[in-house]
Amino acid sequence: MDSFVWFQGAMSFVPQGRKAHHGDAPLTLVFDRPAASPWQEDWWFCFDLKVEQYSDAQVTAAFLPGDGGAPVRAVYEMLPNRRISFRVRVGAVRARQFFLPVFPGSFKGELYGMPAEPEAVARVELFVTPGKDFRGATLYRVYLAEHGPAGVTADASLVDEMGQMIGAFCPTRTASVEDMRQRLQAEYRRATENEPEDRGLSPWGGYRQKTFEATGWFRTQHDGQRWWLVDPEGCAFFSNGVCYGTRMGEFGWYSGMERLYRDAPSPEDPLYRGAFTPPREIAEYVKRHGETSHSGDWMINPARVNMMRVFGENWWEAWRVIATRRFQDWGINTTGVGVVNFTDERVEDFLRLSRLPYAVILKRFPKTEHYICLDFPDVFSPEYAENSRTFARRELSPMAGIPV
């Protein structure tokens, strides 16, 4: 036996007698665990669900022990308007990690609650929180699977060839690939042929009207009244930044979800190879999940696809020039937080060529074999001290010599 069905059919989450709205309390269905079910920690608890609304769907599976104790809750954001196979390992109720593995049709998942033993679970409550323009939610099946379900049921594409949601209205929506091509080429020409507006700032974004000693490095100084950041040219510096500014788009799951993408290129096409990555190359994924059955699957980055369509092999330099000019035109002088989550983003090259101050997040943070709580490492162990030294050599040495 490789599966055990708890429920088969079509059950609605919409309350009787009225329509649910965005902001309403979650809609709930409750299922007692059948005594005969193979409730083993390496099996998957699954249910097939379709939530019809405009925004992403927040879906929760709460596992309740028979003694009336507090539940363990697995919470996911999922794609709307498609039948998705929600799944979570039975053993997850032991609460040994906070971030749960993603699956086709889901965004990141999180686990809440105190640890529980799998055999103590007596029932499962399913919650759907109504989102924007909520029209209903249908549950088709609740079951246990030994190996986990497959991908997403897609009766039609979800995004167009540029990565935009099909059927969604947006006043800045790009009408066609040719329209995108003309706009990006014009923006690139402007960035390369015209100097940015003089805003009275140094090349680092510092304030020229208040200066200190120039040391060639960022530093702090007290002027008798307050502390200042000082840029390498000695100008007072007020950091006005955005997160993820050096990131060239976002990756989304592609393997198992190919039918959701209209006219997407192939990961085997040499021109678009840089628009695809396996999740093992994404540091944040590795940090949260380690090696999983999906580590070798493909993920796609529609923003990169668009740049490759327009600029070909020169796409990265064109993007860097355009992105740098946008920072300058918008008065933003710092980027931060997520600049090195992807190992192929050439973030050091971007920072060196664009001379953009930054605050860096450290990828592949050191772990230990045993955790203190959930996935928090044993920070007092000799193992952690040694891993931290290795981590510093690997992660910080590429930044040496950059004055920020």
Side-chain angles (χ1 to χ4, degrees), residues 118-141:
E119 56 269 20
V121 174
R123 69 181 190 277
V124 182
E125 296 181 352
L126 308 183
F127 300 91
V128 173
T129 302
K132 185 176 181 181
D133 297 332
F134 179 81
R135 299 184 301 279
T138 303
L139 180 71
Y140 297 94
R141 187 168 56 139

Side-chain angles (χ1 to χ4, degrees), residues 12-247:
S12 175
F13 273 80
V14 177
Q16 293 291 330
R18 71 173 184 87
K19 181 180 179 181
H21 298 281
H22 176 51
D24 279 0
L27 311 175
T28 309
L29 292 174
V30 180
F31 294 89
D32 292 326
R33 176 166 70 91
S37 63
W39 191 251
Q40 301 169 25
E41 67 175 72
D42 58 341
W43 278 53
W44 297 82
F45 172 77
C46 314
F47 55 92
D48 294 349
L49 179 71
K50 181 178 182 179
V51 182
E52 298 180 71
Q53 60 187 33
Y54 180 75
S55 58
D56 298 336
Q58 184 182 88
V59 180
T60 301
F63 301 91
L64 288 89
D67 60 5
V72 178
R73 295 178 292 119
V75 183
Y76 278 94
E77 299 286 329
M78 294 175 22
L79 290 176
N81 307 315
R82 295 295 184 272
R83 179 170 168 171
I84 309 294
S85 294
F86 184 109
R87 80 286 304 266
V88 60
R89 280 194 182 275
V90 171
V93 300
R94 296 187 188 276
R96 290 175 177 165
Q97 64 184 89
F98 176 69
F99 291 109
L100 294 170
V102 293
F103 52 81
S106 81
F107 300 96
K108 66 181 180 181
E110 299 166 349
L111 194 74
Y112 299 89
M114 298 299 293
E117 293 300 318
E119 56 269 20
V121 174
R123 69 181 190 277
V124 182
E125 296 181 352
L126 308 183
F127 300 91
V128 173
T129 302
K132 185 176 181 181
D133 297 332
F134 179 81
R135 299 184 301 279
T138 303
L139 180 71
Y140 297 94
R141 187 168 56 139
V142 179
Y143 58 104
L144 292 168
E146 185 174 7
H147 304 294
V152 177
T153 302
D155 49 3
S157 298
L158 185 65
V159 296
D160 65 16
E161 59 271 36
M162 292 171 285
Q164 302 173 120
M165 182 178 288
I166 294 173
F169 171 75
C170 177
T172 58
R173 186 182 183 89
T174 302
S176 66
V177 171
E178 183 56 32
D179 181 58
M180 175 187 68
R181 187 186 311 277
Q182 293 179 14
R183 176 172 54 80
L184 286 174
Q185 288 175 339
E187 190 173 7
Y188 179 72
R189 286 194 301 270
R190 177 177 175 273
T192 54
E193 297 172 1
N194 302 292
E195 291 294 324
E197 177 186 349
D198 185 359
R199 297 174 177 268
L201 303 176
S202 75
W204 301 98
Y207 188 50
R208 286 196 182 121
Q209 295 186 32
K210 186 172 182 61
T211 59
F212 304 90
E213 179 186 359
T215 65
W217 299 89
F218 269 86
R219 61 186 181 87
T220 59
Q221 181 165 329
H222 196 273
D223 67 355
Q225 292 182 305
R226 60 179 60 84
W227 284 98
W228 290 89
L229 283 172
V230 181
D231 77 12
E233 297 192 3
C235 297
F237 185 85
F238 181 85
S239 177
N240 179 34
V242 295
C243 298
Y244 308 108
T246 63
R247 177 168 295 175

Side-chain angles (χ1 to χ4, degrees), residues 327-375:
F327 273 99
Q328 295 167 342
D329 288 345
W330 298 342
I332 297 172
N333 63 10
T334 313
T335 186
V337 180
V339 294
V340 292
N341 271 344
F342 296 97
T343 55
D344 68 340
E345 289 212 308
R346 297 177 58 187
V347 65
E348 292 86 1
D349 291 338
F350 183 98
L351 296 171
R352 174 176 53 82
L353 294 169
S354 299
R355 303 185 73 190
L356 185 67
Y358 66 94
V360 65
I361 189 172
L362 302 176
K363 59 189 176 185
R364 292 190 167 96
F365 203 73
K367 293 184 175 183
T368 55
E369 182 178 356
H370 299 288
Y371 296 142
I372 294 176
C373 178
L374 295 177
D375 50 2

